[in-house]
Amino acid sequence: MKEKSKKITFDYPLYDKITENDDEITAVYLRVSTDTQAQEGYGLDVQYGAIKRYVEAYDIKNVFIFADDGYTGMNEIRPAFSAMTKLMNEGRIKLVITYSLDRIGRTQMIILRFLKEQCEKAKCDFYAVKDNVDSRSRQTYGILISILSIFAEFDHDAIISKLTSGRIQRAKEGFWKGGGKPPYGYRYSKKDGELVVLNEEAEKVKKAFEIYVTRGYSPKKIADILGLSSDKAVFNILKNRIYVGEIYYRGESYNGRHAPIIDRETFELAQNVLKSKSVKRSGSVYLLSSLLECGECGGKMRYMLWGKNGKKQLKILCYSYFPNSTKKYLVRDKNCPNVIFDAEEVEAAVVSTVMKFAVEYGEEKSRSEISASEITEGLKRKSEKLAAEYSRLLNAYKKLGDEDILEQAYETRRKIKKLEREISDEEEKETLVGIEKKKIEMLRTLPGTWDKMDEKARQRIIRSLVEKVVLTKDGIDVHLLKSAYDFIESDEDKAHRGEREAQKIDKNKP
């Protein structure tokens, strides 16, 4: 917040005078950032005078003033603006009047979000006096929204482009990206913009490399010895070139400004050991890995060989069963009352549920004709979900300033663009219809082909259809994904995806 402008007296009450009985409110929104703006003709007095003449001319009632004096329009963190949008969400404001669009915000993204998401959702009208923008004039207003959408997209792309180029430049200059969690063994100094070694953690990093290179212990055993959170944490340490003083970003490595923890010879030895052992975190081939949830304490559950000598059986049990495990972060309740389950019985119950769904849904879909329009509608629904996620990520970035979040937004935007291309491509739709029919046939015949699949294929099918499996003492509850059918990826899907990527590469060739 900057220096406030000179005080003025309003003829209408301020928003803090609104009571629970006030409804059908007309909100007059005023905003000024600095005294300089006032000198340039944007002062609260100028804004208020123009709006007051409009209000009096049309005899508008129940008016309240929402004034942000000394607040930037580059974000939405403003007291009066926040109070106004809260009342809009409650359906208590019928009209918002402001001096000009840029009083709502200084970027097209903020203005568009306010008009499209806030006003339309709240069924609230909007009028900007100076710009003569009136939501009640549907034709001209619709044109404005379209124009704003185009420029807002430019805003989004400009932010992301600026972020990407900025982070590449930081990497070239040897600075860590900033934002997010620093690598284990370092802390991030905002003052210097550099990584600083944490001696105690750095010693564990050195020890992890030493043990791995000289003794050949597994990442899991090293984690147990050093008290690290998991084998994954050790694996990430062993692979990270940050420890030899490099900054690695988007496939390129640059000399960093930070102090190295590991010498290059030791690091390369570790890479050779990793390669020779073919260490791959490809995940377990257990059918229900990552899908199991304890219905008693809400924690995760795991597969485990249970018993002695040659009488061991595969069981499923809650992580809380081992309160002293190295994975203490997975323990929800040391006194969890859940029982130990026979893995074969649980898997059989899940497979039975999936088969029933596959047959019933497959038969139902096979009786109806699949059209290109259905494919288009499905793609549009996916696009809408991604658009909502994109908006959420941008809002989160604006509040937190974490550049990792903005990169997630960039990836989501890329997916939206890809879907938009698919929606507009008629030939693509026809191809997708063919894939859809094969997918239906795959579902319908799943019971007959299940036994012929390898473990990985079975696991892929289960994960594409099942959200989670909740186990309690009383039974097994299988939760199918709400859009389970849409998530199935057949061999044709993968092949088609590969063809599209190949075409994309060809087009980019000089």
Side-chain angles (χ1 to χ4, degrees), residues 361 365 368-383 418-440 485-486 493 496 500:
Y361 196 90
K365 294 293 287 186
S368 59
E369 185 64 28
I370 302 297
S371 66
S373 62
E374 284 183 278
I375 300 295
T376 302
E377 287 304 312
L379 292 173
K380 283 181 178 178
R381 286 194 297 272
K382 288 183 182 179
S383 181
K418 177 184 172 185
L419 279 175
E420 287 174 350
R421 287 194 298 270
E422 291 181 358
I423 290 169
S424 63
D425 191 337
E426 292 299 328
E427 184 179 344
E428 181 82 3
K429 292 176 196 173
E430 294 304 322
T431 306
L432 289 172
V433 169
I435 292 175
E436 202 77 356
K437 289 180 179 178
K438 286 184 172 66
K439 193 183 288 186
I440 292 168
Y485 178 72
D486 295 333
D493 281 302
H496 183 56
R500 282 181 296 179

Side-chain angles (χ1 to χ4, degrees), residues 251-310:
E252 296 290 336
S253 195
Y254 309 94
N255 291 328
R257 292 173 177 253
H258 62 283
I261 294 175
I262 302 297
D263 62 81
R264 291 184 182 275
E265 183 180 358
T266 302
F267 185 85
E268 293 306 327
L269 280 172
Q271 305 318 297
N272 291 336
V273 176
L274 284 167
K275 188 176 180 180
S276 66
K277 290 187 174 184
S278 298
V279 177
K280 295 180 181 179
R281 300 196 59 81
S282 54
S284 168
V285 292
Y286 288 133
L287 186 66
L288 306 177
S289 292
S290 78
L291 298 176
L292 297 162
E293 180 180 305
C294 176
E296 303 294 340
C297 72
K300 291 183 177 295
M301 302 188 79
R302 58 167 292 185
Y303 280 87
M304 186 175 185
L305 284 171
W306 194 268
K308 295 182 179 180
N309 303 324

Side-chain angles (χ1 to χ4, degrees), residues 230-502:
S230 66
D231 57 337
K232 182 179 179 181
V234 174
F235 184 82
N236 289 339
I237 287 172
L238 296 173
K239 294 283 288 183
N240 200 338
R241 301 194 68 86
I242 199 89
Y243 298 113
V244 292
E246 293 181 8
I247 297 292
Y248 191 78
Y249 185 65
R250 295 209 167 192
E252 296 290 336
S253 195
Y254 309 94
N255 291 328
R257 292 173 177 253
H258 62 283
I261 294 175
I262 302 297
D263 62 81
R264 291 184 182 275
E265 183 180 358
T266 302
F267 185 85
E268 293 306 327
L269 280 172
Q271 305 318 297
N272 291 336
V273 176
L274 284 167
K275 188 176 180 180
S276 66
K277 290 187 174 184
S278 298
V279 177
K280 295 180 181 179
R281 300 196 59 81
S282 54
S284 168
V285 292
Y286 288 133
L287 186 66
L288 306 177
S289 292
S290 78
L291 298 176
L292 297 162
E293 180 180 305
C294 176
E296 303 294 340
C297 72
K300 291 183 177 295
M301 302 188 79
R302 58 167 292 185
Y303 280 87
M304 186 175 185
L305 284 171
W306 194 268
K308 295 182 179 180
N309 303 324
K311 296 182 179 179
K312 289 187 176 181
Q313 291 181 312
L314 195 58
K315 301 290 185 178
I316 291 173
L317 58 160
C318 179
Y319 270 100
S320 295
Y321 196 88
F322 301 100
N324 297 320
S325 162
T326 54
K327 296 186 177 181
K328 291 184 175 63
Y329 59 96
L330 293 176
V331 177
R332 288 287 187 89
D333 180 3
K334 294 180 180 180
N335 301 310
C336 178
N338 216 347
V339 297
I340 298 172
F341 297 84
D342 183 87
E344 189 175 336
E345 291 181 6
V346 175
E347 289 182 354
V350 174
V351 170
S352 175
T353 300
V354 168
M355 293 303 167
K356 183 181 178 183
F357 163 78
V359 171
E360 291 179 354
Y361 196 90
E363 291 289 351
E364 177 188 339
K365 294 293 287 186
S366 63
R367 287 194 293 268
S368 59
E369 185 64 28
I370 302 297
S371 66
S373 62
E374 284 183 278
I375 300 295
T376 302
E377 287 304 312
L379 292 173
K380 283 181 178 178
R381 286 194 297 272
K382 288 183 182 179
S383 181
E384 287 170 3
K385 288 180 182 178
L386 287 171
E389 174 67 6
Y390 181 55
S391 179
R392 185 190 69 77
L393 287 167
L394 283 177
N395 283 333
Y397 167 70
K398 296 180 81 169
K399 291 178 181 177
L400 303 175
D402 188 337
E403 294 180 348
D404 286 336
I405 294 175
L406 199 54
E407 284 216 335
Q408 292 177 45
Y410 173 80
E411 179 60 22
T412 303
R413 184 67 179 169
R414 188 189 66 77
K415 292 177 181 177
I416 293 171
K417 291 288 187 183
K418 177 184 172 185
L419 279 175
E420 287 174 350
R421 287 194 298 270
E422 291 181 358
I423 290 169
S424 63
D425 191 337
E426 292 299 328
E427 184 179 344
E428 181 82 3
K429 292 176 196 173
E430 294 304 322
T431 306
L432 289 172
V433 169
I435 292 175
E436 202 77 356
K437 289 180 179 178
K438 286 184 172 66
K439 193 183 288 186
I440 292 168
E441 183 63 15
M442 185 184 75
L443 268 180
R444 195 177 64 80
T445 60
L446 187 59
T449 58
W450 181 260
D451 291 336
K452 300 174 185 177
M453 295 180 183
D454 60 24
E455 290 178 326
K456 280 290 185 184
R458 291 178 182 177
Q459 189 188 63
R460 189 175 74 245
I461 291 292
I462 292 297
R463 289 186 177 181
S464 66
L465 295 170
V466 177
E467 179 184 7
K468 62 182 177 179
V469 179
V470 181
L471 305 181
T472 65
K473 292 180 291 184
D474 299 322
I476 302 166
D477 190 8
V478 182
H479 295 249
L480 292 174
L481 288 160
K482 291 180 181 178
S483 53
Y485 178 72
D486 295 333
F487 284 87
I488 299 172
E489 183 177 57
S490 65
D491 292 337
E492 286 79 8
D493 281 302
K494 289 188 289 183
H496 183 56
R497 178 159 47 85
E499 289 171 5
R500 282 181 296 179
E501 291 301 319

Side-chain angles (χ1 to χ4, degrees), residues 77-253:
I77 306 173
R78 303 168 240 153
F81 188 82
S82 297
M84 181 173 71
T85 54
K86 182 176 182 293
L87 289 170
M88 289 171 67
N89 291 335
E90 294 171 0
R92 298 176 63 190
I93 293 181
K94 68 173 183 178
L95 172 64
V96 173
I97 306 174
T98 191
Y99 180 65
S100 60
L101 285 170
D102 60 7
R103 297 303 88 198
I104 295 297
R106 297 294 290 180
T107 71
Q108 283 84 1
M109 283 190 293
I110 293 175
I111 297 170
L112 182 65
R113 186 157 49 241
F114 179 77
L115 297 179
K116 287 287 290 179
E117 296 180 16
Q118 295 288 344
C119 291
E120 288 190 10
K121 183 179 177 182
K123 297 180 180 178
C124 169
D125 288 320
F126 173 84
Y127 182 62
V129 177
K130 180 187 175 188
D131 302 325
N132 195 27
V133 173
D134 193 340
S135 66
R136 293 161 293 189
S137 176
R138 303 313 300 176
Q139 186 175 359
T140 55
Y141 187 70
I143 294 171
L144 169 72
I145 292 295
S146 298
I147 294 172
L148 279 175
S149 297
I150 294 169
F151 281 103
E153 185 171 320
F154 289 154
D155 271 357
H156 294 172
D157 294 342
I159 288 175
I160 292 167
S161 176
K162 184 178 179 181
L163 165 71
T164 304
S165 59
R167 293 182 79 168
I168 290 173
Q169 187 58 38
R170 279 183 62 84
K172 286 181 177 179
E173 293 174 4
F175 292 103
W176 189 61
K177 63 181 181 179
K181 188 176 180 180
Y184 186 83
Y186 293 98
R187 68 174 177 84
Y188 179 63
S189 169
K190 288 186 178 180
K191 180 182 178 182
D192 302 321
E194 297 179 12
L195 292 172
V196 179
V197 174
L198 294 172
N199 293 328
E200 187 176 336
E201 290 185 2
E203 285 304 314
K204 289 188 177 183
V205 171
K206 292 176 183 177
K207 202 69 178 174
F209 275 93
E210 179 192 338
I211 294 172
Y212 191 70
V213 169
T214 60
R215 303 185 197 178
Y217 286 176
S218 69
K220 175 67 173 69
K221 192 166 184 178
I222 295 173
D224 293 341
I225 292 171
L226 299 178
L228 297 171
S229 61
S230 66
D231 57 337
K232 182 179 179 181
V234 174
F235 184 82
N236 289 339
I237 287 172
L238 296 173
K239 294 283 288 183
N240 200 338
R241 301 194 68 86
I242 199 89
Y243 298 113
V244 292
E246 293 181 8
I247 297 292
Y248 191 78
Y249 185 65
R250 295 209 167 192
E252 296 290 336
S253 195

